């Protein structure tokens, strides 16, 4: 199949390939997948919180296993879209390896301790451009991961585009309401006051300009549109076709697979599930799903592990096979003019699952206590390093900090450093710094 002119532009990398390897016949997306899989940022996901804290059990999901499951779902969505919409998928050159790569990489910017870590860094970075996990993913792939000296993983333009879920900048999306008063103690920081808008960091605007260079000015302006909210952060309206598949994969993995952890660990009851999911789902009249949700519920809460796995698989399949491709008005470029979408009834059904996981698992006081604890760890680490970066940061990070200070962006380097930590590394470093009986010289040398 011939490669179109727009595809060639989206295969470009910021740093052109300067060497060729004999016998390497991979396409750009296969190369990008290898760069993600072999990156330190990807490996660290094995020790970062997904929903439940890392280390409490060896059974439930981490950011790494969640990303692997999202990737599997993404390839499943890709396969069924090729069958259901062959003309459109051919026109868009939909590639299963590309979608797999996006799903594998979509969470690499998230800091330790889940949303607690994100709240902490956004609070500490509030006067320096804020912090948000998706914006950090963009930084890692475009400049921080040391696959190249200055261009991060140096992924091709289409891969980078697929990872931009929120194509505008935090400062533009931030609530126009009054800024919450900063408390006297870090222990008094309330999470709901410091949720960041979802977007990119303004300091990375030149990289975003490079990303959108092949698109028309009209498409760029439309792509960056957002919906303003009177009492909260604004939210971007659009994403690329590839990104829409990745986001659906992420939502299904979160709503269905993460539910399995909660059931196995007896964190949720069948009674509450029937009340919050089964009964309202039956009333929605979702094709196949509404008729079968009672039987699936019984399997989900069965003592037989294979019954639960069968139900999980059936639920995932019902959502994957429902996905369609729809046109998006106002765009001329094919990658922006189409999105993968979940039909309305199925979207409402998936929202029931996601809301159940959020309300009955994430919002549990014991889970929130762990999140608060991680929030404190991250804030106090940031405060310590910010007090004397030239003294306390590792040598290579000190060099980055000094260089960034020339552009008045030194604090961003602190956020880069701390957000890259795993839960365990951050906890151990915190103990070494703040616990008088921990952290001898030998311990510090291994940090």
């Amino acid at each position: 199949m011939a490669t179109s002119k727009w595809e060639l532009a989206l295969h470009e990398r910021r740093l052109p390939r300067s060497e060729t390897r004999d016998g390497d016949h991979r396409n750009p997306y296969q190369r990008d997948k290898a760069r993600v899989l072999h990156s330190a940022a990807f490996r660290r996901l094995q020790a970062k919180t997904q929903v439940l804290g890392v280390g409490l059990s060896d059974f439930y999901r981490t950011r790494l296993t969640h990303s692997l499951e999202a990737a599997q779902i993404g390839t499943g969505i890709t396969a069924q879209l090729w069958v259901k919409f062959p003309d459109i998928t051919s026109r868009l050159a939909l590639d299963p390896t590309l979608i797999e790569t996006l799903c594998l990489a979509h969470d690499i910017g998230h800091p330790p301790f889940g949303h607690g870590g994100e709240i902490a860094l956004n609070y500490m970075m509030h006067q320096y451009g804020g912090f948000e996990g998706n914006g950090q993913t963009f930084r890692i792939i475009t400049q921080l991961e040391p696959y190249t000296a200055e261009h991060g993983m140096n992924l091709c333009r289409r891969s980078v585009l697929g990872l931009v879920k929120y194509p505008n900048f935090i400062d533009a999306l931030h609530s126009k309401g009054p800024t919450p008063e900063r408390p006297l103690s870090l222990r008094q920081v309330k999470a709901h006051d410091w949720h960041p808008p979802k977007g990119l960091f303004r300091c990375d605007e030149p990289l975003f300009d490079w990303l959108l260079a092949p698109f028309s000015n009209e498409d760029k302006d439309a792509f960056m549109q957002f919906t303003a909210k009177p009492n909260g952060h604004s939210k971007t309206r659009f994403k690329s076709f590839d990104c829409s598949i990745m986001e659906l994969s992420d939502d299904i993995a979160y709503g269905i697979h993460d539910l399995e952890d909660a059931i196995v660990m007896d964190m949720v009851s069948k009674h509450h599930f029937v009340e919050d999911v089964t009964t309202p789902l039956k009333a929605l009249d979702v094709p196949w799903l509404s008729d079968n949700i009672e039987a699936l519920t019984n399997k989900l809460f069965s003592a037989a592990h294979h019954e639960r796995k069968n139900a999980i698989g059936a639920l995932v399949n019902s959502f994957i096979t429902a996905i369609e491709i729809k046109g998006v008005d106002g765009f001329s470029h094919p990658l922006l003019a189409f999105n993968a979408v979940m039909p309305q009834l199925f979207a409402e059904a998936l929202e029931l699952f996601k809301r159940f996981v959020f309300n009955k698992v994430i919002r549990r006081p014991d889970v929130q206590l762990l999140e608060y604890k991680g929030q404190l760890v991250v804030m106090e680490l940031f405060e310590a390093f910010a007090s004397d970066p030239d003294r306390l940061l590792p040598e290579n990070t000190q060099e980055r900090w000094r260089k960034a200070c020339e552009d008045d962006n030194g604090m961003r380097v602190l956020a880069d450093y701390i957000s890259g930590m795993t839960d365990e590394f951050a906890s151990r470093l915190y103990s070494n710094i703040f616990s008088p009986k921990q952290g001898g010289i030998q311990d510090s040398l291994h940090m």
Side-chain angles (χ1 to χ4, degrees), residues 350-374:
L350 183 56
E351 188 60 33
L352 289 173
F353 284 93
K354 289 169 60 182
R355 198 180 307 135
F356 182 76
V357 171
F358 181 79
N359 291 332
K360 292 297 192 288
V361 182
I362 293 176
R363 296 302 302 172
R364 277 174 58 122
D366 53 347
V367 174
Q368 284 300 302
L369 194 63
L370 288 173
E371 196 170 286
Y372 172 77
K373 187 177 179 181

Side-chain angles (χ1 to χ4, degrees), residues 2 68 116 120 166 173 205 217 273-274 288 292 318 378 396 432 434:
L68 293 170
Y166 308 102
L173 299 167
E205 187 169 8
N217 289 332
F273 185 83
V274 169
W288 187 85
N292 289 275
S318 70
V378 170
N396 60 334
N432 281 354
F434 297 109

Side-chain angles (χ1 to χ4, degrees), residues 4 6 14 43 82 105 138 151 185 228 274 319 387 403 445:
S4 67
W6 67 261
R14 287 180 65 226
R43 288 196 300 277
W82 265 104
F138 185 75
H151 301 295
S185 167
V274 169
F319 286 113
S387 71
K403 185 175 180 181
L445 290 176

Side-chain angles (χ1 to χ4, degrees), residues 128-129 139 143 169 200-207 409 412:
Y128 310 102
R139 282 181 66 76
Q143 57 192 302
F169 300 97
L200 305 174
F201 308 136
R202 182 63 71 176
C203 60
D204 297 328
E205 187 169 8
L207 298 170
N409 203 32
R412 180 61 60 193

